[in-house]
Amino acid sequence: MNVNYNILSPFELEFSFEKLLRHYEVLVGSDDEFISANAKRVLKMADQSPELRNGFNDSEILLKRKKEIGVILQDLFSPLLTKNEIKTASLPFHDLIFNASQRFKDIIKAAGNDFELKVKSIPQDDMYIMACSVILNALYDYDLNFKRPFHYEIPDENGVTRYYKILYNADFCEVVPKPDTKQITEEDYDELLDNFENIDLWKEKFPPNSYIFKGFVISNIFDVTDDQSISNIKSNLIGEGQEDCDNFMDDFQEVFRSLFGIKDLYLGFAIYNQADNNFEQAPGVGLKSYLLVDEARATCEAVLCQQSYNKIINKRKYFSISDVSGLYKKLKGKAPHHIKAFYKQGIKSVILAPIANESGLMGVLEIISKTPRMLNSINANKLVDVMPYIISGIERSKREEENLIEAIIQQECTSIHPSVYWKFVDAAKQFLRDKQKQGVNVSFKSIVFDNIYPLFGQMDVKGSSNARNLATQKDLLLQLSLLEKIVEKIIVLENLPIYEQLLFRIKQFEKSLKTDFKVDSEQNIVAFLRKEIEPLLKFQLEKNKNLKEDIEDYFSKVDSDINLIYYYRKNYDDTIMLINKNMSSLLDEKQEEAQAMHPHYFERYKTDGVEHNMYIGEAITKQDSFNPVYLYNLRLWQLQVMCEMENEYYNNQHLYPLTLDVASMILVFNQPLSIRFRMDEKQFDVDGTYNARYEVVKKRVDKAFIKGTEERITQNGKMTIVFSQKEDELEYLQYISFLQSKKVLDENVEILELENLQGVTGLRAIRVGILYHGKENDKAFYTYDDLMKELKT
């Protein structure tokens, strides 16, 4: 078969031993009789097969002339070194090997019958250009260095991947242009230098099969498994983003198997918490801790024995156990925690390697094997060369974790919204520049946004204070009724005046709760329970077995943290929490759509409901792209989304532990204002005395009454829009008309005046009913009253 079949290359490959035979022709004249005689023998053998000198490309001739080729190559493949050297003879840029040392043959045999030897992947285009660079250097005397390292990856008899580096000896080959091959000019060369990636240009200058490569190459191969493993560990640990790869940990483990030459090698890792002197499981890295097994954390003293603790924690040296089972049996039931843990997990040998830098111990790398004596104090020293990279990797991982935590805190715990983050970045850069110029006495510039428009909205739980008080009443009455029954039983068993007096006080508390619940009622009852009732119950629990069941039942119903029954209040608290969670999630989801329309500042916070602030304007977008149409669009979006939140809540009200009503309100402020980031409070606030009026209205308006009445302006089932300017009224009436056509709002529109607030006069409001869409696939639209009736059926 022609060796050039299915190969795209500027070379047409030919086997030839011509250059090697020329060396023997010189050696014939040697003064050393043995060397001269051997040279004559080789040349005589070669003369019997002229094609070995002239060249051929049929691989069948290799088999036919195997004996002759063996004689010609005998000096290059010494029988004395054949079991030590890893050496082959082959064609370049081709996987065909026609002669090899015994050690190479043994390596291939151990790899298995299904192993296919290939040089570690180099892109086909790169191989083509590499061949072109050989031509430029050999025929045109250009010093073009495009050498790439060649490697084999070959599994050993245990299936562990070993790495081999290939060094080519090209002394016995030559490059010959074909008669019609176009010569490369200086201009061609200059053009190629700047067009490495243009493979079509290279093929134009060096067409396929335009040169003859005649001869063979000798490959000297070296086992570089340790060096390559160290390099792979370095790449895996230091390379950015490697941990995101799905197979990162599997690959990382495989590299360690190659380094140690152990197929059943596994890695574990435990973080060291210096503050608590604890070992902890590492979250998210894909390595569990074999020391901790299934525990999230444990003290180092509990996990390690005195010897291992001293060596790992204090001296920061490797600790190995070469035969876990043998040691476990030898200790006869007195094995320390880590020996027991390893033994129960089927671990037979282990190395514990402390990972430490100048700041102290960061963690422990656990290298384990299911085979005895495979890991020991001797091969533990293989870690010396890789530990610096492991330390660097852990340090980088810690920095990334700190950055991630900082990002989470920024997102969850501060008011630095992405839309204004650029302003903080600019201020931080200016702070660093000022610090370089002026030294330490530099202040961080104020973060202020001028001439922006505010939007405020809230969905508030109606009557939340009354609902909370009612839940508290019910819990206290339930607790007192249980106590009343217990004290009555105590009086039957032991009729003492003091018990009758306690029963009287319990009934008095019950009466006051039902008729006159006050703010301090709970406090007085709690003090009574703690000081007088609890000591009595504990005394009776020991004294009267007949009361044990009742008293234990009472304590089982009492929350251990607050020493009170926490049932109705829990329903209330859980309901408020779920309302906040679900409505906030919906609002956040919708906010992504709004930000895509036009960037603006957004924040929301939870009270007895959900409130949100938005600010929009050119100062926030950082570009001259703001137009009032984006403000109007955001106002309409806000109105629509708050109606959606109302629908979401009422349509899923049956999922909440307690049935509560909500009421929604929007505050319209027509004048632009300024906001300033308060460094001490880590949040934005309006800036200036005039703008403070806006904050006053925000805090008080939802408690305002309709003028001349005692009716609150906010009402369940209706959207309330508070404003002060006539143009705001006209604008929002247009939005309402549009949403009425979409069956989002009802036809009943009210224009109302508000009672004056402290320092604020002239506020008015639009109040309009919200239409609810009922259950899924229900195309009917309901008013609030209709919906309540529907939900009850």
Side-chain angles (χ1 to χ4, degrees):
M1 182 178 179
N2 193 313
V3 293
N4 295 292
Y5 175 74
N6 207 27
I7 292 179
L8 185 65
S9 170
F11 290 132
E12 184 178 308
L13 301 174
E14 283 190 7
F15 294 102
S16 173
F17 300 93
E18 169 67 19
K19 287 193 73 173
L20 176 59
L21 294 173
R22 288 179 204 161
H23 285 282
Y24 280 112
E25 288 171 351
V26 174
L27 293 177
V28 168
S30 173
D31 294 335
D32 189 312
E33 293 180 3
F34 176 80
I35 293 175
S36 176
N38 183 60
K40 291 176 182 178
R41 181 177 66 88
V42 170
L43 291 170
K44 182 179 179 181
M45 179 69 74
D47 289 341
Q48 296 174 10
S49 305
E51 67 270 24
L52 297 181
R53 186 186 288 270
N54 298 332
F56 60 94
N57 51 33
D58 185 356
S59 59
E60 295 293 330
I61 296 177
L62 291 173
L63 297 174
K64 190 183 297 185
R65 302 301 181 197
K66 183 176 180 181
K67 178 181 178 182
E68 291 85 347
I69 292 171
V71 172
I72 294 172
L73 297 179
Q74 190 172 42
D75 288 340
L76 297 175
F77 291 83
S78 170
L80 297 176
L81 301 176
T82 190
K83 292 185 178 180
N84 182 277
E85 289 184 331
I86 311 174
K87 182 183 285 189
T88 67
S90 65
L91 283 176
F93 313 110
H94 203 294
D95 293 321
L96 184 113
I97 292 171
F98 60 87
N99 205 73
S101 66
Q102 187 59 46
R103 185 176 174 194
F104 179 82
K105 293 175 182 177
D106 292 341
I107 290 170
I108 298 302
K109 182 179 179 181
N113 295 329
D114 56 347
F115 175 73
E116 184 178 352
L117 183 68
K118 283 188 177 295
V119 174
K120 189 177 179 184
S121 180
I122 293 178
Q124 185 62 43
D125 288 351
D126 285 12
M127 290 287 284
Y128 197 100
I129 295 172
M130 194 180 298
C132 296
S133 69
V134 170
I135 296 170
L136 287 168
N137 292 340
L139 295 182
Y140 298 97
D141 293 329
Y142 289 118
D143 186 14
L144 187 63
N145 186 358
F146 184 43
K147 292 181 179 178
R148 295 282 300 274
F150 291 93
H151 291 88
Y152 288 134
E153 291 183 5
I154 307 174
D156 63 14
E157 62 274 9
N158 297 317
V160 176
T161 301
R162 302 196 67 81
Y163 302 91
Y164 298 89
K165 186 174 183 178
I166 310 164
L167 296 180
Y168 290 110
N169 182 334
D171 288 346
F172 310 113
C173 55
E174 56 187 333
V175 177
V176 181
K178 288 186 177 180
D180 57 346
T181 298
K182 182 182 176 182
Q183 189 164 352
I184 300 297
T185 65
E186 188 80 24
E187 290 77 12
D188 292 332
Y189 178 69
D190 291 340
E191 187 179 2
L192 290 168
L193 286 178
D194 294 324
N195 286 281
F196 173 82
E197 72 287 349
N198 189 347
I199 187 62
D200 292 333
L201 179 65
W202 287 87
K203 289 178 180 178
E204 177 191 328
K205 304 299 183 185
F206 300 91
N209 304 320
S210 55
Y211 294 82
I212 296 174
F213 188 99
K214 197 172 183 180
F216 67 96
V217 292
I218 297 294
S219 301
N220 293 287
I221 303 169
F222 303 92
D223 188 335
V224 291
T225 300
D226 286 358
D227 293 339
Q228 187 63 39
S229 297
I230 292 169
S231 176
N232 290 345
I233 289 170
K234 177 181 176 181
S235 299
N236 285 336
L237 287 172
I238 298 179
E240 292 290 338
Q242 292 287 341
E243 294 85 344
D244 295 334
C245 299
D246 293 338
N247 299 322
F248 170 73
M249 281 305 162
D250 290 338
D251 294 343
F252 189 55
Q253 211 156 232
E254 197 64 40
V255 171
F256 268 84
R257 288 170 182 164
S258 295
L259 179 65
F260 280 86
I262 301 172
K263 182 63 178 176
D264 69 338
L265 181 146
Y266 302 91
L267 298 178
F269 182 71
I271 293 175
Y272 176 67
N273 184 330
Q274 188 174 5
D276 301 326
N277 197 31
N278 278 355
F279 285 137
E280 299 175 358
Q281 296 278 5
V285 301
L287 289 180
K288 69 172 235 176
S289 171
Y290 295 97
L291 271 172
L292 295 172
V293 196
D294 294 324
E295 294 182 76
R297 64 183 59 83
T299 62
C300 299
E301 292 93 340
V303 171
L304 302 172
C305 65
Q306 186 175 353
Q307 180 188 2
S308 57
Y309 182 94
N310 185 52
K311 201 164 187 180
I312 295 170
I313 307 296
N314 296 333
K315 296 182 178 179
R316 297 173 194 167
K317 292 185 176 181
Y318 308 140
F319 181 81
S320 63
I321 308 169
S322 61
D323 187 359
V324 173
S325 297
L327 183 59
Y328 179 83
K329 293 171 184 176
K330 184 178 179 181
L331 293 171
K332 297 179 180 178
K334 297 181 180 179
H337 176 277
H338 63 293
I339 304 296
K340 290 179 182 176
F342 293 146
Y343 181 79
K344 289 179 180 178
Q345 294 173 86
I347 296 168
K348 304 299 184 183
S349 56
V350 62
I351 296 171
L352 300 178
I355 301 171
N357 59 10
E358 294 177 356
S359 302
L361 184 66
M362 295 183 288
V364 175
L365 180 67
E366 306 159 4
I367 307 171
I368 66 106
S369 171
K370 302 296 180 72
T371 307
R373 301 181 182 85
M374 294 302 289
L375 296 168
N376 49 68
S377 63
I378 298 171
N379 59 11
N381 288 281
K382 284 181 172 286
L383 293 171
V384 171
D385 295 321
V386 303
M387 195 53 71
Y389 306 119
I390 295 176
I391 291 169
S392 296
I394 297 298
E395 287 173 338
R396 182 172 62 82
S397 180
K398 287 187 71 175
R399 287 194 301 270
E400 289 177 351
E401 182 184 32
E402 289 167 1
N403 292 338
L404 179 59
I405 290 171
E406 185 178 341
I408 292 171
I409 291 172
Q410 177 182 305
Q411 179 179 335
E412 300 295 333
C413 308
T414 73
S415 300
I416 305 177
H417 188 263
S419 63
V420 296
Y421 186 71
W422 63 269
K423 189 87 169 181
F424 288 84
V425 172
D426 287 351
K429 289 179 179 177
Q430 187 60 49
F431 177 79
L432 292 175
R433 286 193 289 266
D434 293 345
K435 195 172 183 181
Q436 279 185 324
K437 293 178 182 177
Q438 303 172 29
V440 293
N441 297 320
V442 176
S443 59
F444 195 86
K445 298 292 184 184
S446 297
I447 306 294
V448 180
F449 292 93
D450 296 319
N451 200 36
I452 59 173
Y453 294 89
L455 296 92
F456 173 77
Q458 71 173 35
M459 174 188 273
D460 198 27
V461 174
K462 291 288 289 181
S464 58
S465 296
N466 291 335
R468 184 185 294 109
N469 290 340
L470 181 60
T472 302
Q473 277 181 291
K474 288 182 176 180
D475 279 339
L476 292 175
L477 284 169
L478 176 60
Q479 190 163 355
L480 289 171
S481 68
L482 292 174
L483 288 172
E484 183 180 345
K485 293 176 182 177
I486 293 173
V487 174
E488 286 174 347
K489 289 185 178 181
I490 292 174
I491 292 172
V492 171
L493 295 171
E494 191 176 7
N495 190 6
L496 297 178
I498 189 64
Y499 297 150
E500 292 183 2
Q501 188 263 348
L502 286 176
L503 181 61
F504 171 76
R505 291 181 64 190
I506 289 171
K507 290 181 177 181
Q508 285 293 102
F509 278 126
E510 288 177 323
K511 183 179 179 181
S512 66
L513 282 174
K514 292 174 181 177
T515 59
D516 188 25
F517 181 78
K518 296 179 181 178
V519 176
D520 62 347
S521 297
E522 180 179 1
Q523 185 178 352
N524 293 335
I525 293 172
V526 168
F528 169 67
L529 295 174
R530 185 177 67 252
K531 292 179 181 178
E532 301 184 50
I533 295 298
E534 286 183 18
L536 170 65
L537 295 182
K538 290 177 182 177
F539 168 70
Q540 291 293 332
L541 192 60
E542 295 178 1
K543 181 179 179 182
N544 292 313
K545 293 182 179 179
N546 294 334
L547 296 172
K548 183 178 179 181
E549 184 176 341
D550 293 306
I551 295 174
E552 286 182 347
D553 177 63
Y554 168 81
F555 279 119
S556 71
K557 290 181 170 63
V558 172
D559 187 279
S560 58
D561 293 329
I562 59 175
N563 292 322
L564 291 171
I565 286 179
Y566 181 58
Y567 176 74
Y568 293 103
R569 274 170 296 180
K570 186 176 187 305
N571 284 343
Y572 171 82
D573 290 342
D574 286 350
T575 300
I576 296 295
M577 181 189 70
L578 283 171
I579 291 173
N580 287 339
K581 177 184 174 183
N582 294 339
M583 296 303 102
S584 295
S585 295
L586 177 59
L587 188 57
D588 290 346
E589 181 183 333
K590 296 294 180 181
Q591 245 296 299
E592 293 181 11
E593 300 173 7
Q595 290 292 342
M597 297 175 195
H598 194 79
H600 58 277
Y601 178 83
F602 169 79
E603 66 178 355
R604 57 133 179 93
Y605 38 97
K606 303 170 184 176
T607 53
D608 284 350
V610 178
E611 299 180 5
H612 66 270
N613 285 318
M614 294 185 290
Y615 299 101
I616 189 170
E618 193 169 295
I620 288 176
T621 59
K622 197 184 176 181
Q623 299 171 354
D624 298 335
S625 60
F626 178 73
N627 185 285
V629 70
Y630 295 119
L631 169 63
Y632 306 145
N633 181 72
L634 192 60
R635 285 174 173 173
L636 177 58
W637 172 89
Q638 180 188 39
L639 183 56
Q640 286 179 292
V641 168
M642 293 196 69
C643 291
E644 285 186 48
M645 290 169 66
E646 285 259 353
N647 268 273
E648 177 71 19
Y649 172 69
Y650 278 111
N651 282 322
N652 293 288
Q653 196 179 45
H654 61 285
L655 301 176
Y656 294 89
L658 198 62
T659 299
L660 296 174
D661 271 318
V662 296
S664 296
M665 183 202 74
I666 289 171
L667 173 63
V668 184
F669 197 77
N670 205 9
Q671 298 299 314
L673 45 72
S674 298
I675 57 171
R676 178 184 298 271
F677 189 77
R678 308 291 180 187
M679 295 296 179
D680 52 344
E681 299 175 7
K682 298 291 185 277
Q683 66 180 23
F684 278 102
D685 201 355
V686 295
D687 195 34
T689 305
Y690 173 75
N691 294 331
R693 178 175 179 269
Y694 173 69
E695 288 295 325
V696 172
V697 175
K698 270 172 53 180
K699 292 175 181 176
R700 298 175 182 172
V701 70
D702 67 318
K703 303 294 190 296
F705 294 104
I706 298 173
K707 196 167 188 177
T709 73
E710 292 186 0
E711 180 185 344
R712 287 275 176 87
I713 189 64
T714 56
Q715 190 177 102
N716 47 302
K718 294 185 178 182
M719 179 66 65
T720 302
I721 304 163
V722 178
F723 60 93
S724 61
Q725 304 293 322
K726 183 65 177 178
E727 59 190 275
D728 299 332
E729 177 185 336
L730 296 175
E731 179 185 340
Y732 272 87
L733 285 174
Q734 290 179 347
Y735 300 154
I736 289 169
S737 177
F738 170 70
L739 293 179
Q740 285 172 335
S741 71
K742 297 287 186 181
K743 300 298 183 184
V744 173
L745 294 174
D746 200 4
E747 298 297 328
N748 56 339
V749 178
E750 303 171 272
I751 309 294
L752 306 166
E753 287 187 52
L754 275 64
E755 289 283 2
N756 293 339
L757 300 174
Q758 185 177 353
V760 181
T761 61
L763 292 178
R764 305 177 74 202
I766 302 171
R767 202 164 66 178
V768 57
I770 300 169
L771 290 178
Y772 299 92
H773 295 234
K775 300 173 183 178
E776 188 177 358
N777 299 324
D778 185 352
K779 295 184 179 180
F781 302 99
Y782 301 88
T783 64
Y784 173 79
D785 292 336
D786 293 335
L787 182 65
M788 292 300 104
K789 292 176 184 176
E790 178 72 15
L791 292 175
K792 289 176 181 177
T793 58

